[in-house]
Amino acid sequence: NAGVMQNPRHLVRRRGQEARLRCSPVKGHSHVYWYRQLPEEGLKFMVYLQKENIIDESGMPKERFSAEFPKEGPSILRIQQVVRGDSAAYFCASSLYDTEAFFGQGTRLTVV
Amino acid sequence: QQQVKQSPQSLIVQKGGISIINCAYENTAFDYFPWYQQFPGKGPALLIAIRPDVSEKKEGRFTISFNKSAKQFSLHIMDSQPGDSATYFCAAKRGQAGTALIFGKGTTLSVSS
């Protein structure tokens, strides 16, 4: 029974490149959440998606960041023209209903 | 505006002792309060959760105490073990559909042997 799968686990990008983070939720889960974690910080909510719909993107920067959860395939968090400040751990979580959320192992993005 | 405040930031407890981590929330619409445990390099794992219709929930050595009037809840780890050394996050959420978990900043627990 696979949990939330995120890939890649580690991603290095040069400033100005695009970063694409993938998240496959627990089988059958239709709610996906993305969080960002900086060192010594908690988990900051970014975006909440259901299949083919963005429900809440209030935590996502207005520029350069986008997210999708297509009918088929994983959820994608895309960061265009990355800057050093984007370096962080990005976690995806999924839930069957909108309570218990299970997290993946995260993608650690380093911008050089 | 920090909706969930967690304390202490770090905690050192001797093996066999009780670890206590506290959280306070502001939004009275929150009605689901989980705790997550995170080891270095790993994702947060759901530990235990409570709803405001009960004042306490116990699972093994882990207990959540909930005080609705004070808008506070706490995690108690009894008989703390070195393997409990991790970062603990409290969180809160409104029960209605379409809302996400709001997390505290975390508590780093070290259990010394």
Side-chain angles (χ1 to χ4, degrees):
Chain A
N1 190 13
V4 176
M5 304 299 291
Q6 289 188 248
N7 66 81
R9 292 291 310 277
H10 300 274
L11 182 61
V12 179
R13 284 288 178 264
R14 295 186 183 280
R15 280 178 294 170
Q17 290 185 320
E18 177 179 286
R20 189 173 292 208
L21 288 60
R22 295 175 184 78
C23 169
S24 296
V26 173
K27 188 176 181 180
H29 284 192
S30 59
H31 302 255
V32 166
Y33 315 81
W34 284 93
Y35 288 82
R36 177 163 61 179
Q37 185 176 40
L38 292 165
E40 311 302 324
E41 296 270 335
L43 292 133
K44 299 290 187 184
F45 166 73
M46 298 182 73
V47 61
Y48 168 24
L49 309 103
Q50 292 183 25
K51 282 286 187 181
E52 301 185 274
N53 289 304
I54 296 174
I55 306 301
D56 181 358
E57 55 182 347
S58 60
M60 201 150 70
K62 295 285 185 271
E63 298 182 356
R64 304 188 298 108
F65 286 73
S66 62
E68 62 178 11
F69 188 17
K71 187 176 180 181
E72 301 291 338
S75 175
I76 305 288
L77 178 67
R78 184 182 293 110
I79 311 172
Q80 296 178 304
Q81 299 177 312
V82 296
V83 300
R84 289 232 171 98
D86 297 332
S87 296
Y90 292 84
F91 289 96
C92 168
S94 75
S95 65
L96 179 59
Y97 303 108
D98 55 1
T99 51
E100 285 188 346
F102 298 92
F103 281 79
Q105 299 288 349
T107 293
R108 279 145 187 88
L109 172 65
T110 302
V111 179
V112 297
Chain B
Q1 181 187 6
Q2 189 180 350
Q3 295 194 56
V4 179
K5 294 183 180 180
Q6 184 171 347
S7 63
Q9 187 174 356
S10 61
L11 181 62
I12 299 174
V13 173
Q14 286 203 330
K15 180 181 176 181
I18 302 173
S19 303
I20 302 174
I21 304 171
N22 301 299
C23 280
Y25 62 97
E26 298 169 1
N27 190 338
T28 55
F30 289 152
D31 68 352
Y32 174 68
F33 304 91
W35 285 89
Y36 282 81
Q37 178 189 58
Q38 185 180 29
F39 293 104
K42 303 293 186 182
L46 179 63
L47 197 58
I48 187 172
I50 197 168
R51 292 194 178 273
D53 53 347
V54 296
S55 60
E56 186 174 282
K57 183 174 181 180
K58 184 176 180 179
E59 289 184 3
R61 295 185 294 108
F62 300 91
T63 300
I64 299 180
S65 297
F66 186 82
N67 186 329
K68 188 174 181 179
S69 61
K71 294 188 287 185
Q72 295 176 346
F73 59 110
S74 60
L75 176 69
H76 295 233
I77 306 174
M78 311 300 286
D79 187 27
S80 299
Q81 299 297 312
D84 297 330
S85 298
T87 300
Y88 292 82
F89 294 96
C90 63
K93 184 183 182 307
R94 287 181 290 153
Q96 65 191 76
T99 62
L101 286 166
I102 306 299
F103 283 85
K105 290 195 172 184
T107 296
T108 301
L109 171 66
S110 296
V111 181
S112 59
S113 53

